[in-house]
Amino acid sequence: MAAVKEVVAAGFIIFRRCSRPVEYLVMKHKYGGHWGTPKGHVDPGESEFDTALRETLEEAGLTRDKLKIFDAFKTVLHYEAFGKPKRVVFWLSELVDPQAEIILSDEHTDFKWLPLDEACRLLQFEDMQKAVRDADKFISTSLR
């Protein structure tokens, strides 16, 4: 029997510094009602990084020029979704203009900018909570 092909997705953990502590962008998915960050499946021939940029534009209305991307922070989650193994790559990015408008796609019903603990309360999956906590640690130790 052939091995089940891994599904690959990519996205960004996005933060802004308009207050202390920093705030994280979380978005409520229309399907399932769970909260997450901009991400989506990698299209054939597309790099994971290009997917993250495309999905962030599609889902939050943010273009690359509105983001400061930190290549030194990258995290990969592995889990099972709909009976298939899934790998999701996240990079960290800061909103250049903290007041930039978020324009949700029809895949989401709401968004919030929240400090770490509040964001993690909405992010129901432990691996996503850990990814955001790791990002926060990177921000506090490397991006003072």
Side-chain angles (χ1 to χ4, degrees):
M1 179 179 228
V4 177
K5 187 174 181 186
E6 180 179 60
V7 175
V8 181
F12 285 108
I13 296 170
I14 301 173
F15 72 98
R16 69 179 184 178
R17 299 187 224 214
C18 63
S19 63
R20 283 198 176 267
V22 299
E23 296 177 322
Y24 295 90
L25 175 64
V26 294
M27 304 179 337
K28 187 174 185 179
H29 291 268
K30 181 177 181 178
Y31 309 104
H34 62 283
W35 291 81
T37 65
K39 72 168 176 40
H41 293 127
V42 175
D43 286 342
E46 185 177 49
S47 73
E48 293 168 348
F49 187 77
D50 286 342
T51 296
L53 290 171
R54 176 180 53 78
E55 289 290 339
T56 300
L57 175 59
E58 290 174 5
E59 295 184 357
L62 297 173
T63 55
R64 184 178 185 155
D65 63 312
K66 293 185 177 173
L67 302 172
K68 181 176 181 181
I69 299 163
F70 300 97
D71 293 328
F73 181 91
K74 179 178 168 182
T75 189
V76 181
L77 308 183
H78 295 273
Y79 55 91
E80 189 172 293
F82 305 106
K84 294 182 179 179
K86 187 169 186 175
R87 177 170 60 91
V88 185
V89 182
F90 286 102
W91 285 269
L92 180 63
S93 65
E94 180 177 5
L95 197 59
V96 174
D97 172 5
Q99 302 306 318
E101 182 181 13
I102 302 300
I103 302 168
L104 292 179
S105 71
D106 61 0
E107 294 178 38
H108 296 87
T109 60
D110 196 8
F111 77 91
K112 296 179 186 220
W113 287 103
L114 297 172
L116 177 65
D117 288 341
E118 290 178 48
C120 285
R121 273 195 282 281
L122 285 184
L123 298 166
Q124 69 188 67
F125 300 110
E126 285 183 30
D127 55 353
M128 191 66 221
Q129 293 171 7
K130 182 182 182 317
V132 174
R133 289 188 189 284
D134 289 347
D136 194 73
K137 185 180 287 185
F138 177 85
I139 293 164
S140 65
T141 59
S142 302
L143 306 179
R144 295 176 199 187

